[in-house]
Amino acid sequence: MKIGELAKRSGLSAHTIRYYERIGLLPFADRDAGGRRDYDESILVWIAFLDRLKTTGMPIREMLHYAALRAEGDHTGPARRALLEAHRDRVRAHLSELQACLLVLDTKIDTYVEAEKRTQPHDDTRYSTAGDQSRARAARP
Amino acid sequence: MKIGELAKRSGLSAHTIRYYERIGLLPFADRDAGGRRDYDESILVWIAFLDRLKTTGMPIREMLHYAALRAEGDHTGPARRALLEAHRDRVRAHLSELQACLLVLDTKIDTYVEAEKRTQPHDDTRYSTAGDQSRARAARP
DNA sequence: CTAGGGGTTTGAGCGCACTCTAAGTCAAGG
DNA sequence: CCTTGACTTAGAGTGCGCTCAAACCCCTAG
C-alpha cells in the first residue's frame, strides 16, 4: 500500500502520515524499489488505535510515550497499562464534565424556547412566504 | 472587583481576562479613578457560561458570534438558540464517540491485565521480567 | 518522447488559544 | 519619601498539531 492509499483508508492525510513517522508515532515505513513508502495492512490497526487516543484527547507527547514503551518490548506491558488506565480516568472525568455541561446547555436552550413561545404564542407559520405550510413547519421544528 | 480578584474567582488568569476583553468575548470593563478595571459580580455568570462553552469544545470564534448576537439585542434570541442547539448536537455526538472509545480502552486495558495474570499467575506484587510471548507486533497496538 | 500523477525531502507557515515581556502608572504602607 | 506590588498598554512569543511549499524523482500511458 502506497502512502496515498493509506491516507484514504486511514483518514489521515499523506502529510500527516509522514509527520507522524517523523516524530516517531508511526514506525519507519518499508520502501519499494523506487524509495517510496510501502505499507502493510497491519499499520491500519495501529493508526486506528492512535486515532482513538487522539479522539479521547491524549496529547501526541503521551502517545509517543506509549509508542516508545511498545517498541521497548513486552516487559513494558505494566507501564503501558498504567498509562492507559490514567488516560481512561481522565477521559471518564472529562465525560462527566461534558454531561454536566450538556444539562446546562439544554436548560439554556429551554429558556430560549420558552421566550420564543411567549413572543409568538399563536402563530407557528410566521416564516412561511406562501401557501407552503408543511415546509415552513419542517424548517422550524 | 479588580482584575486580580476576578482572576481568582473566575479561574481565568488576568492575562486571559484582558485577552478576552480585547477580542470581544468580555465587555469593556468599567474603570476606577486610576484607570483600572473594576468588575461587577455579574461578570462571573457570563464567564461561567463561556467556560462551559469552552469545556464543550466551542471555538472562540463561535463564542464571539454568540456574544455578538447577545449584544445585538433580544431579537437575536432565535439565532442564539439555533447556535446553541447546533453546538449541543455536536457535543452529544462527541460524547457518544468518547463513550465508544472508552469501551475500546477498557478492552485494551483488560488485555494487559490478562497478560499480567498469565505472566505472574501466583504473585501480583512483582512486575514482569520474563515470559516473552510471541511478538506479533504489528497487529498488537 | 513527453506529460501527468504519484511519490520524495527539508523546512517554513498556519490557526488556535493563550501567555508573557517591557516599560510604564498608581496607591498604600513603613 | 520610598518601596512594593497590583495594575496599564502594545506587541511579541509559545506550544500544539498539523499543513503546505519548493524542488526534485520516478513510473506509466498515450
Side-chain angles (χ1 to χ4, degrees):
Chain A
M1 198 185 346
K2 302 268 185 56
I3 199 172
E5 200 195 330
L6 179 59
K8 263 172 213 143
R9 291 179 61 183
S10 69
L12 299 175
S13 74
H15 283 310
T16 301
I17 293 170
R18 289 193 204 97
Y19 166 68
Y20 278 3
E21 179 181 310
R22 205 160 65 225
I23 65 174
L25 209 47
L26 293 180
F28 288 107
D30 294 338
R31 304 305 180 107
D32 67 11
R36 282 99 182 273
R37 290 171 182 82
D38 197 3
Y39 293 95
D40 189 273
E41 298 281 321
S42 62
I43 194 74
L44 286 165
V45 178
W46 175 236
I47 292 179
F49 180 63
L50 288 178
D51 217 50
R52 281 178 215 288
L53 294 181
K54 186 169 81 176
T55 296
T56 51
M58 183 183 284
I60 282 185
R61 240 181 357 279
E62 203 171 334
M63 295 188 213
L64 282 175
H65 185 190
Y66 183 87
L69 288 172
R70 186 169 170 273
E72 241 190 273
D74 285 348
H75 67 282
T76 62
R80 279 181 268 165
R81 173 190 151 190
L83 192 155
L84 292 185
E85 280 174 345
H87 181 59
R88 180 185 57 186
D89 292 350
R90 286 193 302 271
V91 175
R92 283 203 188 126
H94 184 55
L95 211 48
S96 18
E97 204 179 13
L98 281 187
Q99 276 159 346
C101 286
L102 210 46
L103 285 182
V104 174
L105 212 48
D106 281 334
T107 308
K108 185 90 187 162
I109 288 169
D110 263 1
T111 71
Y112 280 116
V113 172
E114 290 307 315
E116 286 176 46
K117 271 192 200 157
R118 282 195 306 278
T119 309
Q120 301 288 338
H122 304 306
D123 183 0
D124 65 354
T125 65
R126 72 200 123 97
Y127 288 151
S128 91
T129 49
D132 193 350
Q133 300 198 348
S134 66
R135 230 160 130 228
R137 283 199 204 92
R140 202 171 44 76
Chain B
M1 196 187 347
K2 302 271 182 53
I3 200 172
E5 200 194 332
L6 178 59
K8 263 172 213 144
R9 292 179 60 184
S10 68
L12 299 175
S13 75
H15 283 310
T16 302
I17 292 169
R18 290 194 202 96
Y19 165 69
Y20 279 2
E21 178 181 310
R22 205 159 67 224
I23 65 174
L25 210 46
L26 293 179
F28 288 106
D30 294 339
R31 303 304 180 109
D32 68 10
R36 282 100 181 273
R37 291 172 181 81
D38 196 3
Y39 292 94
D40 189 272
E41 298 281 322
S42 61
I43 195 74
L44 286 165
V45 178
W46 176 236
I47 292 179
F49 181 64
L50 288 179
D51 218 50
R52 282 179 213 287
L53 294 182
K54 187 169 80 177
T55 296
T56 51
M58 184 183 283
I60 284 187
R61 239 180 1 278
E62 202 171 336
M63 297 189 212
L64 283 175
H65 186 192
Y66 183 88
L69 288 172
R70 189 167 168 272
E72 241 190 272
D74 285 348
H75 67 284
T76 62
R80 278 179 269 164
R81 172 190 151 192
L83 191 156
L84 293 186
E85 281 174 344
H87 181 59
R88 180 186 57 186
D89 292 349
R90 285 192 302 270
V91 176
R92 282 202 189 129
H94 184 55
L95 210 49
S96 18
E97 205 179 11
L98 280 186
Q99 276 159 346
C101 286
L102 209 45
L103 285 183
V104 174
L105 212 47
D106 281 334
T107 307
K108 184 88 190 162
I109 288 169
D110 263 1
T111 71
Y112 280 115
V113 172
E114 291 306 314
E116 287 176 46
K117 270 191 202 158
R118 281 196 306 279
T119 308
Q120 300 288 334
H122 304 305
D123 182 359
D124 60 0
T125 67
R126 273 179 29 201
Y127 283 105
S128 143
T129 53
D132 203 43
Q133 321 276 6
S134 83
R135 308 187 81 199
R137 301 269 309 275
R140 199 170 40 72

